Amino acid sequence: MDDQLSRTIGGTSLQLDTSEKTGGVESLYKRILVSMRESSDPSKLVLDMILNPVIPLCQKVDNSVIIADYQIHMLEQLMRTSPKIETCVKKEALKLARDLKANMKENTENSLAVLGFLLLLSIYGLLDYFDEDEVLELFAFVAMHEIAVELFGSLGFANRVSDFVKHLIKRKQFVEAVRFSCAYNLDDKNRLVGMLREHIQNARLICESSCLKTNSIEIKDKARDQEIASLGTVLQCISDYKLEVEDLLLYEIEYRILELKAHKGK
C-alpha cells in the first residue's frame, strides 16, 4: 500500500502507516524494542535498523547516515544489555562509526549524530580505534542528554571528569556541569547552586536581549520559550539530583516562568 512502509527485522514484519504519523511511529518503536528483546543478535539488529531505516525521515542523504531519536533510544537500550559482539558485527559497527565521525567534522552541533557515534564506541568496544582526546571533546556537544553521564563512565573517562566539568563551565554549560559534578561527586552544594544561578541569569539576559532587538512577536515568543525550557532544565536537574536549594530560588524560577508565559503574544 502507498500509505505504508513495511520491512522485516529479526524475523518480525514491521509496518508503519504513514497516514497516521504519531500513533504509527510510536507503535513501530514498541515493535522494534520487542524485536530487540527477541533477537538472537540484537547488536546486529540495531546496526541494520540504523543503516536501513524504516522511517522515511531517516533516509540517507549523500550516502551519509542520519541518526534519529528512536535509533538513539535503541542504542541506549542496547548499551544497558551489554550484548556479546561478534567480530563481523564489530567490523560493521566500526565502519558506521567512521562514517559518522567523518560527517561530524563540519557539524558537531548535531548532537544526535555525536551521541550516536559515542554510543557505538561504548557498545561495540571501538574506542581504541579513535583518538581518546578527540572523543572526550565530543562530550561537550551531548552533555545535555541524560545518557551522557553514564556513557562518559562506560567509555572510561571517569578519571578525567574534573577537567571536563571545568571545560563545561568555560563553555557556560552550567546545568551540564552540575549534572556531571553530582554524578561523580564533585564540588560542594554552594558551588553547584551558584552555577545554576549563573545559568538562570544567562538565560534571562539572552531572552531579554533577543526581545529588545526585534518587534516580531513570533521571535520574542521563541526567545521566551527558550528561556522557559532553560529554566525547566534547572528544575529537572534539582529534582534528579535532589539538590538542596533555597525555597527562594525555586520561587524565583517559577515566578519567572509565569511571567514569561504571561508576556507571550505581546
Side-chain angles (χ1 to χ4, degrees):
M1 295 177 64
D2 292 338
D3 289 338
Q4 292 184 331
L5 294 170
S6 182
R7 183 160 172 255
T8 299
I9 62 170
T12 301
S13 177
L14 299 178
Q15 195 171 65
L16 170 63
D17 187 342
T18 56
S19 65
E20 299 178 1
K21 291 183 180 179
T22 302
V25 171
E26 289 178 356
S27 174
L28 176 65
Y29 291 176
K30 291 178 182 178
R31 295 175 69 182
I32 288 172
L33 292 177
V34 169
S35 294
M36 285 177 62
R37 288 194 292 269
E38 296 177 348
S39 174
S40 60
D41 192 351
S43 62
K44 186 177 188 308
L45 176 68
V46 170
L47 281 183
D48 287 344
M49 288 301 299
I50 293 173
L51 293 169
N52 303 290
V54 174
I55 302 173
L57 291 177
C58 305
Q59 296 290 353
K60 293 181 181 181
V61 178
D62 297 330
N63 294 321
S64 63
V65 177
I66 297 175
I67 299 294
D69 286 326
Y70 84 96
Q71 292 166 327
I72 292 295
H73 184 61
M74 289 166 58
L75 287 167
E76 289 177 358
Q77 298 301 313
L78 189 62
M79 186 179 83
R80 293 189 172 116
T81 63
S82 301
K84 179 182 178 181
I85 309 296
E86 299 293 341
T87 301
C88 59
V89 176
K90 184 172 182 175
K91 288 180 179 179
E92 192 175 353
L94 178 58
K95 183 179 183 303
L96 173 58
R98 283 174 170 159
D99 288 345
L100 282 173
K101 188 172 187 299
N103 295 331
M104 285 190 302
K105 286 182 179 179
E106 302 298 326
N107 187 21
T108 49
E109 297 299 328
N110 183 350
S111 67
L112 287 185
V114 177
L115 186 57
F117 170 74
L118 294 173
L119 282 164
L120 285 173
L121 299 195
S122 176
I123 295 165
Y124 296 91
L126 304 175
L127 182 60
D128 290 343
Y129 295 92
F130 298 89
D131 183 281
E132 284 195 16
D133 290 334
E134 290 183 4
V135 171
L136 179 59
E137 288 177 4
L138 292 174
F139 269 93
F141 300 101
V142 300
M144 75 292 292
H145 293 279
E146 186 177 345
I147 191 69
V149 171
E150 181 181 348
L151 188 55
F152 192 87
S154 72
L155 282 171
F157 291 127
N159 63 334
R160 302 176 68 176
V161 69
S162 181
D163 288 338
F164 179 65
V165 168
K166 291 176 184 176
H167 180 58
L168 290 175
I169 293 171
K170 286 181 181 178
R171 289 170 55 91
K172 297 189 181 300
Q173 293 179 249
F174 297 111
V175 173
E176 291 85 349
V178 170
R179 285 187 174 279
F180 273 81
S181 294
C182 289
Y184 291 93
N185 299 312
L186 302 177
D187 291 322
D188 57 45
K189 170 195 164 186
N190 291 333
R191 179 171 162 78
L192 296 178
V193 174
M195 284 193 281
L196 292 180
R197 282 192 175 279
E198 192 157 356
H199 175 84
I200 292 167
Q201 291 170 0
N202 285 348
R204 181 166 187 153
L205 288 173
I206 291 170
C207 177
E208 291 177 344
S209 175
S210 297
C211 290
L212 286 173
K213 292 177 181 177
T214 182
N215 291 320
S216 168
I217 292 176
E218 182 179 355
I219 294 175
K220 288 182 178 181
D221 281 352
K222 183 178 180 180
R224 290 166 183 144
D225 284 338
Q226 288 174 341
E227 185 182 351
I228 290 170
S230 188
L231 293 174
T233 64
V234 173
L235 292 175
Q236 190 63 52
C237 182
I238 291 170
S239 174
D240 288 346
Y241 293 98
K242 298 179 174 57
L243 293 175
E244 296 180 5
V245 299
E246 297 176 357
D247 289 341
L248 179 60
L249 177 60
L250 296 176
Y251 172 79
E252 289 173 357
I253 294 172
E254 291 167 359
Y255 181 83
R256 178 60 178 166
I257 290 174
L258 291 175
E259 185 179 38
L260 288 164
K261 288 181 177 179
H263 280 87
K264 288 189 65 175
K266 299 178 181 178

